[in-house]
Amino acid sequence: MPQQDPFGPDTLPYGVFTTADAPEQRRIGVRYGERVLDAGAIATVRGSAHAELLVAPDLGPLLAAGRPVWQAVRAEVRDWISEEPFLLPLADVTLHLPFEVADYVDFYASEHHATNVGRIFRPDGDALTPNWKHLPIGYHGRAGTVVVTGTEVVRPSGQRKTPADDAPTFGPSRRLDIEAEVGFVVGTPSSAPVPLDGFRDHVFGVCLVNDWSARDLQAWEYVPLGPFLGKSFATSVSAWITPLDAFDDARTAPPERTHPLLPYLDDSAAEPAGLDIRIDVALNGEPLTSPPFSTMYWTAAQQLAHMTVNGATLRTGDLFASGTVSGPEEHQLGCLLELTKGKGPFLQDGDEVTITAWAPGPDGSRIGLGEVTGRIAPAAPAADTATDAGAP
Ligand code: CA
């Protein structure tokens, strides 16, 4: 395997696959280069103490097992990873959503993104709301419409109203957008607030997220309670969940904090909790933008601390996403709304968006994140008389 392969022995992400000869039998796999290790099969043959977790049809039992087991299994997988009889060509397997998503939370943690969007959506007000530097803003999304990479995304329909319109109209979104994000998958449940230093005990791993957004629906509906139908139709995630332990060499200090933080969010004395993940977005195979995750103002540890500080508990399979990742430069903006300064063009039917990413690993290696891709399908026919003849 080439030394720069982002899916080498230091990455080892988990996923769920089936093969053509056993399409009903979901199996846990570990990606190694362009191949997949059948983790359940080798764990059984080798008599692993963790075989029960790896013959499961999804990652749920492994996620729930907790960090000491995650580390033990990762060490076993590292020993097994080049065992030829258990490696299948990646091209020969079908990948599935690797865990049952419990709750889905989406944050808004990029200062560049929040500033740019604030200027577009609220041109007469302050770009950042007064709370932005004091807490990681988020909302609860829709877990049931989180879909795995490769799933077609049907253009949503809904109410749209621009400032120039006298009244809202109903029809397919004309401003369908992407949001390049990084997602965090909760393994260990919680019954009490999770402090900043509890992050690694509860979060199993990292995935890529495309949080599709219908900007026209969103702009009309979002005041005062936030995103709803403009976001809930689909959220795509990568098929591979990369363990947090793979990112030890990617840890980096977040941007300097400009406002003092309340103690439960104050990470000034903590280990650096930012992650140097380099994201690339392609539209129909052409490079579109390269957002740097290292520029995110709020870290995932702060997000987890904030979302549990009120007593809200965590469940295995909870997914929280960073919010759109945008850097300070023109070629680092994480959505079309920002890239086109609100003017478009937005996504057309048939467009395909692919997000990839990597992070620095040990000894100059790269830690790859599984890609997340999706193609836009035309809007479904209107269910009632509220139709719209105009093409998006
Ligand atoms: Ca989002």
Side-chain angles (χ1 to χ4, degrees):
M1 149 170 326
Q3 204 206 334
Q4 284 298 312
D5 191 309
F7 296 97
D10 296 314
T11 305
L12 305 180
Y14 295 91
V16 169
F17 70 95
T18 52
T19 54
D21 58 344
E24 304 300 318
Q25 188 196 354
R26 295 204 176 191
R27 291 184 264 174
I28 293 176
V30 176
R31 181 165 174 183
Y32 187 54
E34 294 303 307
R35 297 193 289 178
V36 178
L37 180 79
D38 187 336
I42 192 167
T44 303
V45 167
R46 296 296 173 85
S48 165
H50 304 110
E52 196 176 333
L53 303 175
L54 296 173
V55 297
D58 66 38
L59 298 180
L62 177 61
L63 295 181
R67 187 161 187 237
V69 173
W70 304 339
Q71 291 179 315
V73 172
R74 185 167 162 83
E76 286 183 295
V77 168
R78 194 188 281 267
D79 286 343
W80 298 334
I81 197 61
S82 52
E83 295 290 332
E84 288 294 336
F86 299 94
L87 285 163
L88 309 170
L90 179 62
D92 289 355
V93 307
T94 300
L95 297 169
H96 302 275
L97 188 64
F99 62 100
E100 185 178 355
V101 180
D103 285 302
Y104 170 50
V105 167
D106 192 30
F107 283 95
Y108 193 53
S110 161
E111 182 174 1
H112 303 292
H113 172 72
T115 301
N116 293 334
V117 170
R119 286 188 182 129
I120 292 168
F121 274 24
R122 295 180 301 277
D124 301 325
D126 290 334
L128 288 184
T129 49
N131 54 359
W132 202 92
K133 287 290 183 82
H134 295 277
L135 55 83
I137 293 176
Y139 70 99
H140 282 91
R142 191 166 186 82
T145 49
V146 175
V147 297
V148 74
T149 180
T151 305
E152 194 171 67
V153 174
V154 175
R155 179 180 299 276
S157 293
Q159 286 199 24
R160 312 152 306 184
K161 182 183 175 303
T162 69
D165 296 330
D166 292 331
T169 59
F170 181 91
S173 171
R174 299 175 175 121
R175 291 163 65 85
L176 183 56
D177 201 352
I178 61 165
E179 290 191 336
E181 305 194 16
V182 174
F184 295 84
V185 179
V186 171
T188 315
S190 71
S191 56
V194 178
L196 292 173
D197 64 5
F199 177 75
R200 297 188 79 166
D201 292 326
H202 289 276
V203 171
F204 173 81
V206 180
C207 61
L208 287 178
V209 176
N210 188 343
D211 188 37
W212 308 94
S213 298
R215 300 301 183 191
D216 39 2
L217 278 58
Q218 179 187 354
W220 169 232
E221 75 180 359
Y222 88 108
V223 178
L225 289 186
F228 190 42
L229 302 180
K231 304 273 191 177
S232 62
F233 55 95
T235 304
S236 297
V237 297
S238 55
W240 299 107
I241 311 300
T242 309
L244 265 190
D245 282 344
F247 294 93
D248 281 350
D249 289 82
R251 293 166 76 86
T252 185
E256 189 179 349
R257 277 68 173 85
T258 54
H259 291 56
L261 296 174
L262 289 168
Y264 78 95
L265 292 172
D266 185 356
D267 61 354
S268 54
E271 290 287 301
L275 290 175
D276 180 12
I277 296 174
R278 328 277 177 93
I279 300 170
D280 290 296
V281 184
L283 174 60
N284 299 322
E286 298 293 324
L288 178 69
T289 182
S290 299
F293 192 68
S294 60
T295 61
M296 299 299 272
Y297 191 87
W298 297 102
T299 70
Q302 288 173 317
Q303 292 169 345
L304 190 71
H306 185 63
M307 67 190 263
T308 58
V309 75
N310 65 342
T313 54
L314 296 172
R315 290 188 294 174
T316 297
D318 281 355
L319 170 68
F320 63 101
S322 60
T324 306
V325 183
S326 289
E329 310 289 338
E330 290 282 319
H331 66 281
Q332 296 177 331
L333 303 172
C335 63
L336 294 170
L337 182 75
E338 292 175 81
L339 288 163
T340 68
K341 297 187 165 56
K343 299 185 182 75
F346 291 89
L347 295 173
Q348 306 297 307
D349 290 348
D351 277 353
E352 184 173 79
V353 178
T354 299
I355 305 174
T356 55
W358 63 275
D363 305 320
S365 64
R366 290 186 173 196
I367 304 299
L369 285 88
E371 70 171 35
V372 58
T373 189
R375 182 186 293 270
I376 306 302
D384 57 25
T385 55
T387 56
D388 176 272

